[in-house]
Coordinates of all heavy atoms in Angstrom, one line a residue:
M298 N -12.7 54.0 76.4 CA -13.3 52.7 76.1 C -14.3 52.3 77.2 O -14.1 52.5 78.4 CB -12.1 51.7 76.1 CG -12.6 50.3 75.8 SD -11.2 49.2 75.5 CE -10.9 48.7 77.2
K299 N -15.4 51.8 76.8 CA -16.5 51.4 77.7 C -16.2 50.0 78.3 O -15.9 49.1 77.6 CB -17.8 51.4 77.0 CG -19.0 51.3 78.0 CD -20.3 51.4 77.2 CE -21.4 51.0 78.2 NZ -22.7 50.8 77.5
V300 N -16.2 49.9 79.6 CA -15.9 48.6 80.3 C -17.3 48.0 80.6 O -18.1 48.6 81.2 CB -15.1 48.8 81.6 CG1 -14.9 47.4 82.2 CG2 -13.8 49.4 81.2
E301 N -17.4 46.7 80.1 CA -18.7 46.0 80.3 C -18.7 45.3 81.6 O -17.7 44.5 81.9 CB -18.9 45.1 79.2 CG -20.3 44.8 78.8 CD -20.4 43.9 77.6 OE1 -20.0 44.4 76.5 OE2 -20.7 42.7 77.7
K302 N -19.7 45.4 82.5 CA -19.7 44.7 83.8 C -20.4 43.3 83.5 O -21.4 43.3 82.8 CB -20.5 45.5 84.8 CG -19.7 46.6 85.4 CD -20.4 47.2 86.6 CE -19.6 48.4 87.1 NZ -20.3 49.1 88.1
V303 N -19.8 42.3 84.0 CA -20.4 41.0 83.9 C -20.7 40.4 85.3 O -19.8 40.4 86.1 CB -19.4 40.0 83.1 CG1 -20.0 38.7 82.9 CG2 -19.0 40.6 81.8
K304 N -21.9 40.0 85.5 CA -22.3 39.4 86.8 C -22.2 37.9 86.7 O -22.8 37.3 85.8 CB -23.7 39.8 87.1 CG -23.9 40.8 88.2 CD -25.3 40.9 88.7 CE -25.3 41.5 90.0 NZ -26.7 41.7 90.5
V305 N -21.5 37.3 87.7 CA -21.3 35.9 87.7 C -21.5 35.4 89.1 O -21.1 36.1 90.1 CB -20.0 35.4 87.1 CG1 -19.9 35.5 85.6 CG2 -18.8 36.1 87.8
S306 N -21.9 34.2 89.3 CA -22.0 33.6 90.6 C -21.0 32.4 90.6 O -21.2 31.5 89.8 CB -23.4 33.1 90.8 OG -23.5 32.2 91.9
L307 N -20.0 32.4 91.4 CA -19.0 31.4 91.4 C -19.0 30.6 92.6 O -18.7 31.1 93.7 CB -17.6 32.0 91.2 CG -17.3 32.9 89.9 CD1 -15.9 33.5 90.0 CD2 -17.5 32.0 88.7
N308 N -19.4 29.3 92.5 CA -19.4 28.4 93.7 C -18.4 27.3 93.5 O -17.8 26.8 94.4 CB -20.8 27.9 93.9 CG -21.7 29.0 94.3 OD1 -21.4 29.8 95.2 ND2 -22.8 29.2 93.6
T309 N -18.3 26.7 92.3 CA -17.4 25.6 92.0 C -16.6 26.0 90.8 O -16.9 27.0 90.1 CB -18.1 24.3 91.7 OG1 -18.7 24.4 90.5 CG2 -19.2 24.0 92.8
V310 N -15.5 25.2 90.5 CA -14.7 25.5 89.3 C -15.5 25.4 88.0 O -15.2 26.1 87.1 CB -13.5 24.6 89.3 CG1 -13.9 23.1 89.0 CG2 -12.4 25.1 88.4
D311 N -16.6 24.6 88.1 CA -17.4 24.5 86.9 C -18.2 25.8 86.5 O -18.6 26.0 85.4 CB -18.4 23.3 87.0 CG -17.7 22.0 87.0 OD1 -16.7 21.9 86.4 OD2 -18.3 21.0 87.6
D312 N -18.3 26.7 87.5 CA -19.0 27.9 87.3 C -18.1 29.0 86.6 O -18.6 30.0 86.2 CB -19.5 28.5 88.6 CG -20.5 27.6 89.3 OD1 -21.3 26.9 88.6 OD2 -20.6 27.7 90.6
I313 N -16.8 28.7 86.6 CA -15.9 29.6 86.0 C -16.0 29.4 84.5 O -16.0 28.3 84.0 CB -14.5 29.4 86.5 CG1 -14.5 29.6 88.1 CG2 -13.5 30.4 85.9 CD1 -13.2 29.3 88.7
P314 N -16.0 30.5 83.7 CA -16.2 30.4 82.3 C -15.0 29.6 81.6 O -14.0 29.4 82.1 CB -16.2 31.8 81.8 CG -15.8 32.7 82.9 CD -15.9 31.9 84.2
Y315 N -15.3 29.2 80.4 CA -14.4 28.4 79.6 C -13.0 29.1 79.5 O -12.0 28.5 79.5 CB -15.1 28.3 78.2 CG -14.1 27.9 77.0 CD1 -13.7 26.6 76.9 CD2 -13.7 28.9 76.1 CE1 -12.9 26.3 75.8 CE2 -12.9 28.6 75.1 CZ -12.5 27.3 74.9 OH -11.6 27.0 73.9
A316 N -13.0 30.4 79.4 CA -11.8 31.1 79.2 C -12.0 32.5 79.9 O -13.1 32.9 80.2 CB -11.5 31.3 77.7
P317 N -10.9 33.2 80.2 CA -11.0 34.5 80.8 C -11.9 35.4 80.0 O -11.9 35.3 78.8 CB -9.5 35.0 80.8 CG -8.7 33.8 80.7 CD -9.5 32.8 79.9
F318 N -12.6 36.3 80.6 CA -13.5 37.1 79.8 C -13.1 38.5 79.4 O -13.9 39.2 78.8 CB -15.0 37.1 80.3 CG -15.4 37.0 81.6 CD1 -16.5 37.7 82.1 CD2 -14.9 36.0 82.5 CE1 -17.0 37.6 83.3 CE2 -15.4 35.9 83.8 CZ -16.4 36.7 84.2
A319 N -11.9 38.8 79.6 CA -11.5 40.1 79.1 C -11.5 40.1 77.5 O -11.1 39.1 76.9 CB -10.0 40.4 79.5
R320 N -12.1 41.1 77.0 CA -12.1 41.2 75.5 C -10.7 41.6 75.0 O -10.1 42.5 75.6 CB -13.2 42.1 75.0 CG -14.5 41.6 75.4 CD -15.5 42.0 74.3 NE -16.8 41.4 74.6 CZ -17.9 42.0 74.6 NH1 -18.0 43.3 74.4 NH2 -19.0 41.4 74.9
P321 N -10.3 41.1 73.9 CA -9.0 41.5 73.3 C -9.0 43.0 73.0 O -10.0 43.5 72.5 CB -8.8 40.7 72.0 CG -9.9 39.6 72.1 CD -10.9 40.1 73.1
G322 N -8.0 43.7 73.4 CA -7.9 45.1 73.2 C -6.7 45.4 72.3 O -6.6 45.0 71.2
L323 N -5.7 45.9 73.0 CA -4.4 46.2 72.2 C -3.5 45.0 72.3 O -2.4 45.0 71.7 CB -3.8 47.4 72.8 CG -4.5 48.7 72.8 CD1 -3.8 49.8 73.5 CD2 -4.7 49.1 71.3
V324 N -3.9 44.0 73.0 CA -3.0 42.8 73.1 C -2.9 42.0 71.8 O -3.9 41.7 71.2 CB -3.6 41.9 74.2 CG1 -2.7 40.7 74.4 CG2 -3.7 42.7 75.5
T325 N -1.7 41.7 71.5 CA -1.4 40.8 70.3 C -0.6 39.6 70.8 O -0.2 39.6 71.9 CB -0.7 41.6 69.2 OG1 0.5 42.0 69.8 CG2 -1.5 42.7 68.7
V326 N -0.5 38.7 69.9 CA 0.3 37.5 70.3 C 1.7 37.9 70.9 O 2.4 38.7 70.3 CB 0.5 36.6 69.0 CG1 1.5 35.5 69.3 CG2 -0.8 36.1 68.5
N327 N 2.0 37.3 72.1 CA 3.2 37.8 72.8 C 4.0 36.6 73.3 O 4.7 36.8 74.4 CB 2.8 38.8 73.8 CG 1.9 38.2 74.9 OD1 1.6 37.0 74.9 ND2 1.4 38.9 75.8
S328 N 4.0 35.5 72.7 CA 4.7 34.4 73.3 C 6.0 34.1 72.5 O 6.5 33.0 72.7 CB 3.8 33.1 73.3 OG 3.4 32.8 71.9
G329 N 6.4 35.0 71.7 CA 7.6 34.7 70.9 C 8.9 34.4 71.6 O 9.8 33.8 71.1
F330 N 9.0 34.8 72.9 CA 10.2 34.6 73.6 C 10.3 33.3 74.3 O 11.3 32.9 74.9 CB 10.4 35.7 74.7 CG 9.2 35.8 75.7 CD1 9.2 35.0 76.8 CD2 8.2 36.6 75.5 CE1 8.2 35.0 77.7 CE2 7.1 36.7 76.4 CZ 7.1 35.9 77.5
R331 N 9.2 32.5 74.3 CA 9.1 31.2 75.0 C 10.1 30.2 74.3 O 10.2 30.1 73.1 CB 7.7 30.7 74.9 CG 7.4 29.5 75.8 CD 6.0 29.0 75.6 NE 5.7 28.7 74.2 CZ 4.7 29.0 73.5 NH1 3.7 29.7 74.1 NH2 4.5 28.7 72.3
T332 N 10.9 29.5 75.1 CA 11.8 28.5 74.6 C 11.2 27.1 74.7 O 11.7 26.2 74.0 CB 13.2 28.6 75.3 OG1 13.0 28.4 76.7 CG2 13.8 29.9 75.0
Q333 N 10.3 26.9 75.6 CA 9.6 25.6 75.8 C 8.1 25.8 75.9 O 7.7 26.8 76.4 CB 10.1 24.9 77.1 CG 11.6 24.5 77.0 CD 11.9 23.5 78.1 OE1 11.6 23.7 79.2 NE2 12.5 22.4 77.7
R334 N 7.4 24.8 75.5 CA 5.9 24.9 75.5 C 5.3 23.8 76.4 O 5.9 22.6 76.4 CB 5.3 24.9 74.1 CG 5.6 23.6 73.4 CD 4.8 23.5 72.1 NE 5.1 24.7 71.2 CZ 4.3 25.0 70.2 NH1 3.2 24.3 69.9 NH2 4.6 26.1 69.5
P335 N 4.2 24.0 77.1 CA 3.6 23.0 77.9 C 2.8 22.0 77.0 O 2.3 22.4 76.0 CB 2.7 23.8 78.8 CG 2.4 25.0 78.1 CD 3.6 25.3 77.2
V336 N 2.8 20.8 77.5 CA 2.0 19.7 76.8 C 1.2 19.0 77.9 O 1.8 18.7 79.0 CB 3.0 18.7 76.1 CG1 2.2 17.6 75.4 CG2 3.9 19.5 75.1
C337 N 0.0 18.7 77.6 CA -0.8 18.0 78.6 C -1.0 16.5 78.2 O -1.4 16.3 77.1 CB -2.2 18.7 78.8 SG -3.3 17.8 79.9
D338 N -0.7 15.6 79.1 CA -1.0 14.2 78.9 C -2.4 13.9 79.3 O -2.7 13.9 80.5 CB 0.0 13.4 79.7 CG -0.2 11.9 79.5 OD1 -1.2 11.5 79.0 OD2 0.8 11.1 79.8
K339 N -3.3 13.8 78.4 CA -4.7 13.6 78.7 C -5.0 12.3 79.5 O -6.1 12.2 80.1 CB -5.6 13.7 77.4 CG -5.3 14.9 76.6 CD -6.5 15.9 76.5 CE -6.1 17.1 75.7 NZ -6.9 18.2 75.9
E340 N -4.1 11.4 79.4 CA -4.3 10.1 80.1 C -4.1 10.3 81.6 O -4.8 9.7 82.4 CB -3.3 9.0 79.6 CG -3.5 8.6 78.2 CD -4.8 7.9 77.9 OE1 -5.1 7.0 78.8 OE2 -5.5 8.2 77.0
K341 N -3.2 11.2 81.9 CA -2.9 11.5 83.4 C -3.8 12.6 83.9 O -4.1 12.6 85.1 CB -1.5 11.9 83.5 CG -0.4 10.9 83.3 CD 1.0 11.4 83.5 CE 2.0 10.4 83.2 NZ 3.4 10.9 83.2
C342 N -4.3 13.5 83.1 CA -5.1 14.6 83.6 C -6.5 14.1 84.1 O -7.1 13.3 83.4 CB -5.3 15.6 82.4 SG -6.5 16.9 82.8
N343 N -6.8 14.6 85.3 CA -8.1 14.2 85.9 C -9.1 15.3 85.8 O -10.2 15.3 86.4 CB -7.9 13.7 87.3 CG -7.6 14.8 88.3 OD1 -7.4 16.0 87.9 ND2 -7.4 14.5 89.5
G344 N -8.8 16.4 85.1 CA -9.7 17.5 84.9 C -10.0 18.3 86.2 O -11.1 19.0 86.3
C345 N -9.1 18.4 87.1 CA -9.3 19.2 88.3 C -9.3 20.7 88.0 O -9.8 21.5 88.8 CB -8.2 18.9 89.4 SG -6.6 19.5 88.9
H346 N -8.7 21.1 87.0 CA -8.6 22.5 86.5 C -7.9 23.4 87.4 O -8.0 24.6 87.4 CB -10.0 23.0 86.2 CG -10.7 22.4 85.0 ND1 -12.0 22.1 85.0 CD2 -10.1 22.0 83.8 CE1 -12.3 21.5 83.8 NE2 -11.1 21.5 83.1
L347 N -7.0 22.8 88.3 CA -6.1 23.7 89.1 C -5.2 24.5 88.3 O -5.0 25.7 88.5 CB -5.3 22.8 90.1 CG -5.8 22.5 91.4 CD1 -4.8 21.7 92.2 CD2 -6.2 23.8 92.2
C348 N -4.6 23.9 87.2 CA -3.7 24.7 86.4 C -4.4 25.8 85.7 O -3.9 26.9 85.6 CB -3.1 23.7 85.3 SG -4.4 22.9 84.3
Y349 N -5.7 25.6 85.4 CA -6.5 26.7 84.8 C -6.6 27.9 85.7 O -6.6 29.0 85.4 CB -7.8 26.1 84.4 CG -9.0 27.0 84.2 CD1 -9.3 27.5 82.9 CD2 -9.8 27.4 85.2 CE1 -10.3 28.4 82.7 CE2 -10.9 28.2 85.1 CZ -11.1 28.7 83.8 OH -12.2 29.6 83.6
L350 N -6.8 27.5 87.0 CA -7.0 28.6 88.0 C -5.7 29.3 88.3 O -5.7 30.5 88.7 CB -7.5 28.0 89.3 CG -9.0 27.4 89.2 CD1 -9.3 26.7 90.5 CD2 -9.9 28.5 89.0
Y351 N -4.6 28.6 88.2 CA -3.3 29.2 88.6 C -2.5 29.9 87.5 O -1.6 30.7 87.8 CB -2.4 28.2 89.3 CG -2.7 28.0 90.8 CD1 -3.8 27.1 91.2 CD2 -2.0 28.6 91.7 CE1 -4.1 27.0 92.5 CE2 -2.3 28.5 93.1 CZ -3.3 27.6 93.5 OH -3.6 27.5 94.8
C352 N -2.8 29.6 86.3 CA -2.0 30.2 85.2 C -2.1 31.7 85.2 O -3.2 32.3 85.2 CB -2.6 29.7 83.8 SG -1.8 30.6 82.4
P353 N -1.0 32.4 85.4 CA -1.1 33.9 85.6 C -1.5 34.6 84.3 O -1.8 35.8 84.4 CB 0.4 34.2 86.0 CG 1.2 33.1 85.5 CD 0.3 31.9 85.5
D354 N -1.4 33.9 83.2 CA -1.8 34.6 81.9 C -3.1 34.2 81.4 O -3.5 34.7 80.3 CB -0.7 34.3 80.9 CG 0.6 35.1 81.2 OD1 0.5 36.2 81.9 OD2 1.7 34.7 80.8
G355 N -3.8 33.4 82.1 CA -5.2 33.0 81.7 C -5.1 32.3 80.3 O -6.1 32.5 79.5
C356 N -4.1 31.5 80.1 CA -4.0 30.9 78.8 C -4.2 29.4 78.8 O -3.7 28.7 77.9 CB -2.7 31.3 78.0 SG -1.3 31.0 79.0
I357 N -4.8 28.9 79.9 CA -5.2 27.5 79.9 C -6.7 27.5 79.8 O -7.5 28.2 80.5 CB -4.8 26.8 81.2 CG1 -3.3 26.8 81.3 CG2 -5.4 25.4 81.3 CD1 -2.7 26.1 82.5
L358 N -7.2 26.8 78.8 CA -8.7 26.8 78.6 C -9.2 25.4 79.0 O -8.6 24.4 78.8 CB -8.9 27.0 77.1 CG -8.2 28.1 76.4 CD1 -8.4 28.2 74.9 CD2 -8.6 29.5 77.1
K359 N -10.5 25.4 79.5 CA -11.1 24.2 79.8 C -11.4 23.4 78.4 O -11.8 24.1 77.5 CB -12.5 24.4 80.5 CG -12.3 25.0 81.9 CD -13.7 25.2 82.4 CE -13.7 25.7 83.8 NZ -15.0 26.0 84.3
D360 N -11.2 22.1 78.5 CA -11.4 21.3 77.3 C -12.1 20.0 77.7 O -11.5 19.0 77.9 CB -10.1 21.0 76.6 CG -10.3 20.3 75.2 OD1 -11.4 20.4 74.7 OD2 -9.3 19.7 74.8
G361 N -13.4 20.1 78.0 CA -14.2 19.0 78.5 C -13.6 18.7 79.9 O -13.5 19.5 80.8
K362 N -13.2 17.4 80.1 CA -12.7 17.0 81.4 C -11.2 17.2 81.4 O -10.5 16.7 82.3 CB -13.0 15.5 81.6 CG -14.4 15.3 81.9 CD -14.8 15.8 83.3 CE -16.2 15.6 83.7 NZ -16.6 16.3 84.9
S363 N -10.6 18.0 80.5 CA -9.2 18.2 80.5 C -9.0 19.7 80.2 O -9.8 20.5 80.5 CB -8.5 17.3 79.5 OG -7.1 17.4 79.6
I364 N -7.8 20.0 79.7 CA -7.5 21.4 79.4 C -6.7 21.5 78.1 O -6.2 20.5 77.6 CB -6.6 22.0 80.5 CG1 -5.3 21.2 80.8 CG2 -7.3 22.2 81.8 CD1 -4.0 21.7 80.2
K365 N -6.6 22.7 77.6 CA -5.7 22.9 76.4 C -5.1 24.3 76.6 O -5.6 25.1 77.4 CB -6.5 22.8 75.1 CG -7.6 23.8 74.9 CD -8.3 23.5 73.6 CE -9.5 24.4 73.4 NZ -10.3 24.1 72.2
F366 N -4.0 24.5 75.9 CA -3.2 25.8 76.1 C -3.5 26.7 75.0 O -3.5 26.3 73.8 CB -1.7 25.4 76.2 CG -1.4 24.5 77.3 CD1 -1.2 23.1 77.1 CD2 -1.2 24.9 78.6 CE1 -0.9 22.3 78.1 CE2 -0.9 24.1 79.6 CZ -0.7 22.7 79.4
D367 N -3.5 28.0 75.3 CA -3.5 29.1 74.3 C -2.0 29.4 74.1 O -1.5 30.3 74.9 CB -4.3 30.3 74.8 CG -4.4 31.4 73.7 OD1 -3.6 31.3 72.8 OD2 -5.2 32.3 73.9
L368 N -1.4 28.8 73.2 CA 0.1 29.0 73.0 C 0.4 30.3 72.4 O 1.6 30.7 72.3 CB 0.6 27.8 72.2 CG 0.5 26.5 72.9 CD1 0.9 25.3 72.0 CD2 1.4 26.5 74.2
D369 N -0.6 31.1 72.0 CA -0.3 32.5 71.5 C 0.2 33.4 72.7 O 0.8 34.4 72.5 CB -1.5 33.1 70.8 CG -1.7 32.5 69.4 OD1 -0.8 31.9 68.9 OD2 -2.8 32.8 68.8
F370 N -0.3 33.0 73.9 CA 0.0 33.9 75.0 C 0.7 33.2 76.2 O 1.1 33.9 77.1 CB -1.4 34.5 75.5 CG -2.0 35.4 74.5 CD1 -3.0 34.9 73.7 CD2 -1.5 36.6 74.3 CE1 -3.6 35.7 72.7 CE2 -2.1 37.5 73.3 CZ -3.1 37.0 72.5
C371 N 0.9 31.9 76.1 CA 1.6 31.2 77.2 C 3.1 31.7 77.2 O 3.7 31.7 76.1 CB 1.5 29.7 77.0 SG 2.8 28.8 77.9
K372 N 3.6 32.0 78.4 CA 5.0 32.5 78.4 C 5.9 31.4 78.8 O 7.1 31.7 79.0 CB 5.1 33.7 79.3 CG 4.7 33.5 80.7 CD 4.6 34.8 81.5 CE 4.1 34.5 82.9 NZ 3.7 35.7 83.6
G373 N 5.4 30.2 79.1 CA 6.3 29.1 79.4 C 6.9 29.2 80.9 O 8.0 28.7 81.1
C374 N 6.1 29.8 81.8 CA 6.7 30.0 83.1 C 6.7 28.7 84.0 O 7.5 28.6 84.9 CB 5.8 31.0 83.9 SG 4.1 30.4 84.2
G375 N 5.9 27.7 83.6 CA 6.0 26.4 84.3 C 5.1 26.3 85.6 O 5.1 25.3 86.3
I376 N 4.4 27.3 85.9 CA 3.5 27.3 87.1 C 2.5 26.1 87.0 O 2.2 25.4 87.9 CB 2.8 28.6 87.3 CG1 3.9 29.6 87.8 CG2 1.7 28.5 88.3 CD1 3.4 31.1 87.9
C377 N 1.9 26.0 85.8 CA 1.0 24.9 85.5 C 1.6 23.5 85.8 O 0.9 22.7 86.5 CB 0.4 25.0 84.1 SG 1.7 25.0 82.8
K378 N 2.8 23.3 85.4 CA 3.4 22.0 85.7 C 3.7 21.8 87.2 O 3.4 20.8 87.7 CB 4.8 22.0 85.0 CG 5.5 20.7 85.2 CD 6.9 20.7 84.5 CE 7.6 19.4 84.8 NZ 9.0 19.5 84.3
K379 N 4.0 22.9 87.9 CA 4.3 22.8 89.3 C 3.0 22.5 90.1 O 3.0 21.8 91.1 CB 4.9 24.2 89.7 CG 5.3 24.3 91.2 CD 6.7 24.0 91.3 CE 7.2 24.2 92.8 NZ 8.4 23.6 93.0
I380 N 1.9 23.1 89.7 CA 0.7 23.0 90.4 C 0.0 21.7 90.1 O -0.9 21.2 90.9 CB -0.3 24.2 90.1 CG1 -1.2 24.4 91.3 CG2 -1.1 24.0 88.8 CD1 -0.6 25.0 92.5
C381 N 0.3 21.0 89.0 CA -0.4 19.8 88.7 C 0.1 18.6 89.5 O 1.2 18.2 89.3 CB -0.2 19.5 87.2 SG -1.0 17.9 86.7
N382 N -0.8 18.1 90.4 CA -0.3 17.0 91.2 C -0.5 15.6 90.6 O -0.3 14.6 91.2 CB -1.0 17.0 92.6 CG -2.5 17.1 92.5 OD1 -3.0 16.6 91.6 ND2 -3.1 17.6 93.5
K383 N -0.9 15.6 89.3 CA -1.0 14.3 88.6 C 0.2 14.2 87.6 O 0.3 13.1 86.9 CB -2.3 14.3 87.7 CG -3.5 14.2 88.6 CD -3.6 12.8 89.3 CE -4.7 12.7 90.3 NZ -4.7 11.5 91.1
G384 N 1.0 15.1 87.6 CA 2.2 15.0 86.7 C 1.8 15.0 85.2 O 2.4 14.4 84.4
A385 N 0.6 15.6 84.9 CA 0.1 15.6 83.5 C 0.7 16.6 82.6 O 0.6 16.5 81.4 CB -1.4 15.7 83.6
I386 N 1.4 17.6 83.1 CA 2.0 18.6 82.3 C 3.5 18.5 82.2 O 4.2 18.4 83.2 CB 1.5 20.0 82.8 CG1 0.0 20.2 82.7 CG2 2.2 21.1 82.0 CD1 -0.5 21.5 83.3
S387 N 4.0 18.5 81.0 CA 5.4 18.5 80.8 C 5.7 19.6 79.8 O 4.8 20.2 79.2 CB 5.9 17.1 80.3 OG 5.2 16.8 79.1
F388 N 7.0 19.8 79.6 CA 7.4 20.8 78.6 C 8.3 20.2 77.5 O 9.1 19.3 77.7 CB 8.2 21.9 79.4 CG 7.3 22.9 80.0 CD1 6.6 22.6 81.2 CD2 7.1 24.2 79.4 CE1 5.8 23.5 81.7 CE2 6.3 25.1 80.0 CZ 5.6 24.8 81.1
E389 N 8.1 20.7 76.3 CA 8.9 20.3 75.2 C 9.5 21.5 74.5 O 9.0 22.6 74.6 CB 8.1 19.5 74.2 CG 7.0 20.2 73.5 CD 6.3 19.4 72.5 OE1 6.2 18.1 72.6 OE2 5.7 20.0 71.6
D390 N 10.7 21.4 74.0 CA 11.4 22.5 73.3 C 10.6 23.0 72.1 O 10.0 22.3 71.4 CB 12.8 22.1 72.8 CG 13.8 21.8 74.0 OD1 13.5 22.3 75.1 OD2 14.8 21.1 73.7
E391 N 10.6 24.4 72.0 CA 10.1 24.9 70.8 C 10.9 24.5 69.6 O 12.1 24.4 69.7 CB 10.1 26.5 70.9 CG 9.2 27.0 71.9 CD 7.7 26.9 71.6 OE1 7.4 26.6 70.4 OE2 6.9 27.0 72.5
K392 N 10.3 24.3 68.4 CA 11.1 23.9 67.3 C 11.4 25.1 66.4 O 10.8 26.1 66.5 CB 10.3 22.9 66.5 CG 10.1 21.6 67.3 CD 9.2 20.7 66.6 CE 9.0 19.5 67.5 NZ 7.7 19.1 67.9
Ligands
SF4_561 S1 -3.8 20.5 87.1 FE1 -3.1 18.7 86.0 S2 -4.8 17.2 86.4 FE2 -5.6 19.2 86.9 S3 -6.6 19.9 84.9 FE3 -4.5 20.7 84.9 S4 -3.3 19.1 83.8 FE4 -5.2 18.2 84.4
SF4_562 S1 3.5 27.8 81.3 FE1 2.8 29.5 82.6 S2 1.8 30.9 81.1 FE2 2.0 28.9 80.1 S3 0.1 27.7 80.5 FE3 1.6 27.2 82.1 S4 1.1 28.6 83.8 FE4 0.2 29.5 81.9

């Protein structure tokens, strides 16, 4: 498989792309084991994008001045909730 090199200049969080840039390969939806899902309270979120930077699975996407979750790949680890100092992220049970 040919790996494409991408040149970027990163100075602020705004320079980081909307979503991780790895192209989908053999990866398929893998969040079936999650028992709870994250929810963002847009009223509390100040758009700092810290959660986006810390999510180990790259499944937090920038959404204007806030964020949204790629729930196909979020494993429900809770790191985003822990890192958010605005208390904007909570978890709800999967139905
Ligand atoms: S860390 Fe909290 S306040 Fe910052 S973007 Fe994420 S949800 Fe919003
Ligand atoms: S729960 Fe974990 S995997 Fe899901 S969005 Fe938060 S940090 Fe990422």
Side-chain angles (χ1 to χ4, degrees):
M298 184 170 83
K299 190 176 173 193
V300 177
E301 209 174 290
K302 285 189 181 171
V303 182
K304 248 190 161 180
V305 288
S306 164
L307 301 177
N308 296 309
T309 72
V310 72
D311 289 335
D312 297 330
I313 301 173
Y315 161 79
F318 28 142
R320 293 215 172 131
L323 298 174
V324 178
T325 56
V326 172
N327 61 8
S328 60
F330 58 86
R331 192 182 58 226
T332 55
Q333 290 196 312
R334 62 170 57 197
V336 180
C337 177
D338 181 340
K339 305 247 180 202
E340 296 293 316
K341 292 182 182 172
C342 175
N343 69 358
C345 69
H346 291 140
L347 268 183
C348 55
Y349 162 89
L350 293 173
Y351 276 83
C352 173
D354 287 333
C356 54
I357 295 180
L358 312 177
K359 291 180 181 178
D360 187 21
K362 287 289 178 194
S363 190
I364 53 104
K365 60 185 175 185
F366 300 100
D367 181 348
L368 293 171
D369 284 346
F370 295 98
C371 164
K372 63 189 173 193
C374 67
I376 290 173
C377 52
K378 180 181 176 186
K379 184 93 177 165
I380 205 70
C381 177
N382 56 24
K383 291 294 175 188
I386 297 178
S387 58
F388 275 75
E389 65 180 25
D390 288 342
E391 293 289 345
K392 294 171 183 127

